[in-house]
Tab-separated table of all heavy atoms in Angstrom:
chain	number	residue	atom	x	y	z
A	1	ASN	N	343.016	236.991	98.206
A	1	ASN	CA	343.887	236.378	97.190
A	1	ASN	C	343.177	235.267	96.417
A	1	ASN	O	343.542	234.963	95.285
A	1	ASN	CB	345.153	235.819	97.850
A	1	ASN	CG	345.953	236.927	98.512
A	1	ASN	OD1	345.866	238.086	98.092
A	1	ASN	ND2	346.689	236.592	99.560
A	2	GLU	N	342.152	234.666	97.004
A	2	GLU	CA	341.446	233.569	96.341
A	2	GLU	C	340.369	234.063	95.372
A	2	GLU	O	339.820	233.284	94.610
A	2	GLU	CB	340.793	232.676	97.404
A	2	GLU	CG	341.794	232.045	98.351
A	2	GLU	CD	341.107	231.337	99.505
A	2	GLU	OE1	339.865	231.249	99.506
A	2	GLU	OE2	341.821	230.871	100.402
A	3	TYR	N	340.068	235.347	95.390
A	3	TYR	CA	339.006	235.911	94.552
A	3	TYR	C	339.508	236.208	93.150
A	3	TYR	O	340.715	236.389	92.933
A	3	TYR	CB	338.466	237.199	95.166
A	3	TYR	CG	337.733	237.013	96.480
A	3	TYR	CD1	337.562	238.079	97.338
A	3	TYR	CD2	337.215	235.775	96.851
A	3	TYR	CE1	336.901	237.922	98.548
A	3	TYR	CE2	336.552	235.613	98.057
A	3	TYR	CZ	336.400	236.681	98.899
A	3	TYR	OH	335.744	236.522	100.071
A	4	PRO	N	338.604	236.300	92.158
A	4	PRO	CA	339.008	236.687	90.801
A	4	PRO	C	339.525	238.147	90.796
A	4	PRO	O	339.323	238.906	91.742
A	4	PRO	CB	337.717	236.576	89.991
A	4	PRO	CG	336.741	235.853	90.838
A	4	PRO	CD	337.217	235.950	92.229
A	5	GLU	N	340.189	238.512	89.679
A	5	GLU	CA	340.812	239.839	89.588
A	5	GLU	C	339.804	240.966	89.738
A	5	GLU	O	340.051	241.963	90.420
A	5	GLU	CB	341.531	239.987	88.236
A	5	GLU	CG	342.843	239.271	88.161
A	5	GLU	CD	343.554	239.547	86.846
A	5	GLU	OE1	343.415	240.675	86.325
A	5	GLU	OE2	344.223	238.641	86.361
A	6	LYS	N	338.678	240.824	89.093
A	6	LYS	CA	337.652	241.878	89.148
A	6	LYS	C	337.203	242.101	90.589
A	6	LYS	O	337.065	243.247	91.049
A	6	LYS	CB	336.462	241.474	88.262
A	6	LYS	CG	335.475	242.567	88.011
A	6	LYS	CD	336.081	243.636	87.120
A	6	LYS	CE	335.021	244.671	86.787
A	6	LYS	NZ	335.569	245.813	86.093
A	7	MET	N	336.987	241.009	91.331
A	7	MET	CA	336.576	241.115	92.736
A	7	MET	C	337.673	241.767	93.566
A	7	MET	O	337.391	242.568	94.466
A	7	MET	CB	336.258	239.726	93.311
A	7	MET	CG	334.989	239.106	92.825
A	7	MET	SD	333.543	239.733	93.638
A	7	MET	CE	333.683	238.997	95.238
A	8	GLN	N	338.952	241.442	93.251
A	8	GLN	CA	340.059	242.049	93.997
A	8	GLN	C	340.119	243.556	93.733
A	8	GLN	O	340.365	244.343	94.662
A	8	GLN	CB	341.390	241.392	93.609
A	8	GLN	CG	341.534	239.983	94.153
A	8	GLN	CD	342.856	239.349	93.760
A	8	GLN	OE1	343.737	240.010	93.197
A	8	GLN	NE2	343.004	238.064	94.063
A	9	GLU	N	339.853	243.961	92.473
A	9	GLU	CA	339.830	245.399	92.163
A	9	GLU	C	338.730	246.101	92.964
A	9	GLU	O	338.947	247.170	93.538
A	9	GLU	CB	339.587	245.610	90.669
A	9	GLU	CG	340.758	245.250	89.793
A	9	GLU	CD	340.421	245.402	88.317
A	9	GLU	OE1	339.501	246.189	87.991
A	9	GLU	OE2	341.063	244.729	87.506
A	10	TRP	N	337.527	245.505	93.024
A	10	TRP	CA	336.418	246.096	93.786
A	10	TRP	C	336.762	246.186	95.274
A	10	TRP	O	336.468	247.163	95.943
A	10	TRP	CB	335.146	245.269	93.622
A	10	TRP	CG	334.538	245.342	92.244
A	10	TRP	CD1	334.731	246.306	91.325
A	10	TRP	CD2	333.635	244.393	91.678
A	10	TRP	NE1	334.014	246.030	90.189
A	10	TRP	CE2	333.323	244.863	90.381
A	10	TRP	CE3	333.082	243.206	92.106
A	10	TRP	CZ2	332.466	244.178	89.534
A	10	TRP	CZ3	332.230	242.540	91.271
A	10	TRP	CH2	331.928	243.013	89.985
A	11	TYR	N	337.447	245.132	95.764
A	11	TYR	CA	337.845	245.088	97.171
A	11	TYR	C	338.799	246.239	97.484
A	11	TYR	O	338.613	246.972	98.457
A	11	TYR	CB	338.485	243.724	97.459
A	11	TYR	CG	339.192	243.634	98.782
A	11	TYR	CD1	338.479	243.400	99.941
A	11	TYR	CD2	340.577	243.783	98.875
A	11	TYR	CE1	339.109	243.310	101.159
A	11	TYR	CE2	341.216	243.700	100.086
A	11	TYR	CZ	340.480	243.465	101.234
A	11	TYR	OH	341.104	243.390	102.441
A	12	HIS	N	339.840	246.412	96.637
A	12	HIS	CA	340.821	247.469	96.890
A	12	HIS	C	340.199	248.852	96.733
A	12	HIS	O	340.518	249.772	97.514
A	12	HIS	CB	342.038	247.305	95.949
A	12	HIS	CG	342.865	246.086	96.269
A	12	HIS	ND1	343.524	245.930	97.464
A	12	HIS	CD2	343.112	244.953	95.558
A	12	HIS	CE1	344.161	244.767	97.486
A	12	HIS	NE2	343.916	244.149	96.325
A	13	SER	N	339.289	249.023	95.766
A	13	SER	CA	338.646	250.331	95.610
A	13	SER	C	337.749	250.630	96.822
A	13	SER	O	337.687	251.768	97.298
A	13	SER	CB	337.824	250.384	94.316
A	13	SER	OG	336.754	249.482	94.384
A	14	ALA	N	337.074	249.595	97.353
A	14	ALA	CA	336.244	249.806	98.547
A	14	ALA	C	337.108	250.192	99.732
A	14	ALA	O	336.755	251.093	100.508
A	14	ALA	CB	335.454	248.540	98.852
A	15	LEU	N	338.266	249.535	99.897
A	15	LEU	CA	339.166	249.898	100.993
A	15	LEU	C	339.674	251.336	100.848
A	15	LEU	O	339.751	252.085	101.829
A	15	LEU	CB	340.366	248.942	101.036
A	15	LEU	CG	340.160	247.648	101.817
A	15	LEU	CD1	341.420	246.800	101.780
A	15	LEU	CD2	339.784	247.943	103.247
A	16	ARG	N	340.025	251.722	99.595
A	16	ARG	CA	340.482	253.108	99.380
A	16	ARG	C	339.388	254.102	99.744
A	16	ARG	O	339.656	255.118	100.389
A	16	ARG	CB	340.896	253.292	97.909
A	16	ARG	CG	342.356	252.931	97.690
A	16	ARG	CD	342.805	253.283	96.277
A	16	ARG	NE	342.927	251.996	95.570
A	16	ARG	CZ	342.286	251.627	94.495
A	16	ARG	NH1	341.452	252.448	93.896
A	16	ARG	NH2	342.460	250.440	93.956
A	17	GLU	N	338.151	253.789	99.335
A	17	GLU	CA	337.025	254.676	99.661
A	17	GLU	C	336.870	254.815	101.171
A	17	GLU	O	336.632	255.902	101.683
A	17	GLU	CB	335.719	254.143	99.054
A	17	GLU	CG	335.596	254.317	97.574
A	17	GLU	CD	335.378	255.769	97.178
A	17	GLU	OE1	334.715	256.501	97.939
A	17	GLU	OE2	335.883	256.159	96.123
A	18	LEU	N	336.981	253.696	101.879
A	18	LEU	CA	336.837	253.736	103.332
A	18	LEU	C	337.942	254.565	103.987
A	18	LEU	O	337.719	255.276	104.965
A	18	LEU	CB	336.842	252.324	103.912
A	18	LEU	CG	335.571	251.505	103.715
A	18	LEU	CD1	335.772	250.084	104.220
A	18	LEU	CD2	334.418	252.150	104.443
A	19	GLU	N	339.159	254.456	103.466
A	19	GLU	CA	340.259	255.202	104.071
A	19	GLU	C	340.223	256.678	103.696
A	19	GLU	O	340.702	257.523	104.451
A	19	GLU	CB	341.592	254.563	103.679
A	19	GLU	CG	341.774	253.217	104.370
A	19	GLU	CD	343.022	252.493	103.913
A	19	GLU	OE1	343.869	253.115	103.253
A	19	GLU	OE2	343.130	251.299	104.221
A	20	ASN	N	339.639	257.011	102.527
A	20	ASN	CA	339.520	258.422	102.138
A	20	ASN	C	338.491	259.149	103.001
A	20	ASN	O	338.618	260.338	103.257
A	20	ASN	CB	339.118	258.543	100.668
A	20	ASN	CG	340.260	258.150	99.743
A	20	ASN	OD1	341.409	258.084	100.158
A	20	ASN	ND2	339.938	257.850	98.500
A	21	LYS	N	337.484	258.435	103.425
A	21	LYS	CA	336.447	259.034	104.283
A	21	LYS	C	336.934	258.956	105.729
A	21	LYS	O	336.862	257.936	106.361
A	21	LYS	CB	335.114	258.287	104.158
A	21	LYS	CG	334.628	258.119	102.753
A	21	LYS	CD	334.017	259.399	102.263
A	21	LYS	CE	333.415	259.136	100.884
A	21	LYS	NZ	333.107	260.297	100.169
A	22	VAL	N	337.464	260.066	106.236
A	22	VAL	CA	338.048	260.048	107.572
A	22	VAL	C	337.097	260.650	108.610
A	22	VAL	O	337.407	260.729	109.774
A	22	VAL	CB	339.375	260.849	107.594
A	22	VAL	CG1	340.220	260.464	108.794
A	22	VAL	CG2	340.162	260.617	106.327
A	23	LYS	N	335.911	261.087	108.179
A	23	LYS	CA	334.989	261.724	109.109
A	23	LYS	C	334.530	260.722	110.163
A	23	LYS	O	334.184	259.593	109.838
A	23	LYS	CB	333.762	262.275	108.359
A	23	LYS	CG	334.088	263.393	107.428
A	23	LYS	CD	332.822	263.886	106.756
A	23	LYS	CE	333.152	264.978	105.749
A	23	LYS	NZ	331.975	265.393	105.015
A	24	HIS	N	334.510	261.168	111.370
A	24	HIS	CA	334.021	260.333	112.462
A	24	HIS	C	332.711	260.929	112.954
A	24	HIS	O	332.638	262.113	113.268
A	24	HIS	CB	335.037	260.285	113.607
A	24	HIS	CG	336.319	259.632	113.197
A	24	HIS	ND1	336.427	258.279	112.990
A	24	HIS	CD2	337.545	260.146	112.937
A	24	HIS	CE1	337.656	257.987	112.633
A	24	HIS	NE2	338.372	259.108	112.580
A	25	TYR	N	331.706	260.107	113.009
A	25	TYR	CA	330.394	260.544	113.467
A	25	TYR	C	330.116	259.931	114.831
A	25	TYR	O	330.524	258.812	115.111
A	25	TYR	CB	329.299	260.101	112.490
A	25	TYR	CG	329.434	260.715	111.120
A	25	TYR	CD1	329.970	260.000	110.055
A	25	TYR	CD2	329.039	262.017	110.891
A	25	TYR	CE1	330.100	260.565	108.798
A	25	TYR	CE2	329.158	262.585	109.642
A	25	TYR	CZ	329.684	261.865	108.593
A	25	TYR	OH	329.800	262.427	107.359
A	26	THR	N	329.389	260.674	115.616
A	26	THR	CA	328.999	260.124	116.913
A	26	THR	C	327.818	259.179	116.694
A	26	THR	O	326.954	259.443	115.865
A	26	THR	CB	328.566	261.252	117.874
A	26	THR	OG1	327.516	261.991	117.263
A	26	THR	CG2	329.728	262.175	118.172
A	27	PRO	N	327.808	258.085	117.415
A	27	PRO	CA	326.701	257.134	117.217
A	27	PRO	C	325.379	257.740	117.667
A	27	PRO	O	325.342	258.608	118.539
A	27	PRO	CB	327.094	255.948	118.092
A	27	PRO	CG	328.080	256.476	119.064
A	27	PRO	CD	328.760	257.633	118.408
A	28	LEU	N	324.292	257.264	117.051
A	28	LEU	CA	322.965	257.752	117.394
A	28	LEU	C	322.540	257.214	118.756
A	28	LEU	O	322.758	256.048	119.063
A	28	LEU	CB	321.953	257.306	116.341
A	28	LEU	CG	322.162	257.884	114.945
A	28	LEU	CD1	321.148	257.248	113.998
A	28	LEU	CD2	321.975	259.386	114.965
A	29	ILE	N	321.957	258.083	119.547
A	29	ILE	CA	321.487	257.692	120.873
A	29	ILE	C	320.018	258.061	120.975
A	29	ILE	O	319.614	259.150	120.579
A	29	ILE	CB	322.286	258.422	121.973
A	29	ILE	CG1	323.770	258.068	121.867
A	29	ILE	CG2	321.758	258.060	123.351
A	29	ILE	CD1	324.657	258.882	122.778
A	30	CYS	N	319.208	257.150	121.503
A	30	CYS	CA	317.784	257.425	121.673
A	30	CYS	C	317.601	258.471	122.766
A	30	CYS	O	318.337	258.495	123.754
A	30	CYS	CB	317.035	256.157	122.063
A	30	CYS	SG	317.012	254.932	120.760
A	31	GLU	N	316.592	259.315	122.575
A	31	GLU	CA	316.286	260.310	123.590
A	31	GLU	C	315.721	259.625	124.818
A	31	GLU	O	314.999	258.644	124.714
A	31	GLU	CB	315.256	261.309	123.052
A	31	GLU	CG	315.783	262.182	121.955
A	31	GLU	CD	314.727	263.169	121.469
A	31	GLU	OE1	313.656	263.267	122.111
A	31	GLU	OE2	314.982	263.827	120.471
A	32	LYS	N	316.036	260.178	125.964
A	32	LYS	CA	315.504	259.609	127.196
A	32	LYS	C	314.056	260.027	127.331
A	32	LYS	O	313.708	261.187	127.123
A	32	LYS	CB	316.298	260.091	128.398
A	32	LYS	CG	317.704	259.533	128.437
A	32	LYS	CD	318.424	259.980	129.685
A	32	LYS	CE	319.829	259.408	129.724
A	32	LYS	NZ	320.575	259.881	130.899
A	33	LYS	N	313.205	259.053	127.672
A	33	LYS	CA	311.782	259.343	127.838
A	33	LYS	C	311.489	259.525	129.314
A	33	LYS	O	312.058	258.831	130.161
A	33	LYS	CB	310.931	258.198	127.291
A	33	LYS	CG	311.065	258.013	125.812
A	33	LYS	CD	310.203	256.869	125.341
A	33	LYS	CE	310.369	256.651	123.851
A	33	LYS	NZ	309.602	255.489	123.399
A	34	LYS	N	310.580	260.435	129.589
A	34	LYS	CA	310.173	260.629	130.973
A	34	LYS	C	309.306	259.438	131.380
A	34	LYS	O	308.511	258.946	130.589
A	34	LYS	CB	309.363	261.917	131.108
A	34	LYS	CG	310.190	263.156	130.918
A	34	LYS	CD	309.344	264.385	131.152
A	34	LYS	CE	310.168	265.641	130.949
A	34	LYS	NZ	309.337	266.852	131.145
A	35	PRO	N	309.432	258.986	132.606
A	35	PRO	CA	308.593	257.857	133.039
A	35	PRO	C	307.137	258.278	133.120
A	35	PRO	O	306.820	259.413	133.455
A	35	PRO	CB	309.153	257.501	134.413
A	35	PRO	CG	309.835	258.733	134.878
A	35	PRO	CD	310.335	259.439	133.642
A	36	VAL	N	306.253	257.343	132.799
A	36	VAL	CA	304.824	257.616	132.847
A	36	VAL	C	304.400	257.656	134.311
A	36	VAL	O	304.652	256.713	135.063
A	36	VAL	CB	304.038	256.523	132.095
A	36	VAL	CG1	302.554	256.772	132.173
A	36	VAL	CG2	304.509	256.444	130.660
């Protein structure tokens, strides 16, 4: 609410973009290395 109008528009558009993208990805995990 304290931001200028243009910033508020960018904020709301970013939130809409985030909510439109509903895909869930599994986090990246490093491969297990064999002990030397």
Side-chain angles (χ1 to χ4, degrees):
N1 298 333
E2 299 172 6
Y3 293 160
E5 283 185 34
K6 192 69 175 172
M7 288 280 287
Q8 288 180 8
E9 288 176 24
W10 290 339
Y11 168 81
H12 291 297
S13 65
L15 274 180
R16 272 187 253 121
E17 286 289 326
L18 285 174
E19 290 175 13
N20 289 343
K21 308 282 186 195
V22 199
K23 294 181 183 175
H24 296 287
Y25 297 101
T26 56
L28 295 175
I29 300 172
C30 293
E31 292 181 9
K32 291 183 180 177
K33 295 180 182 176
K34 290 184 181 179
V36 178

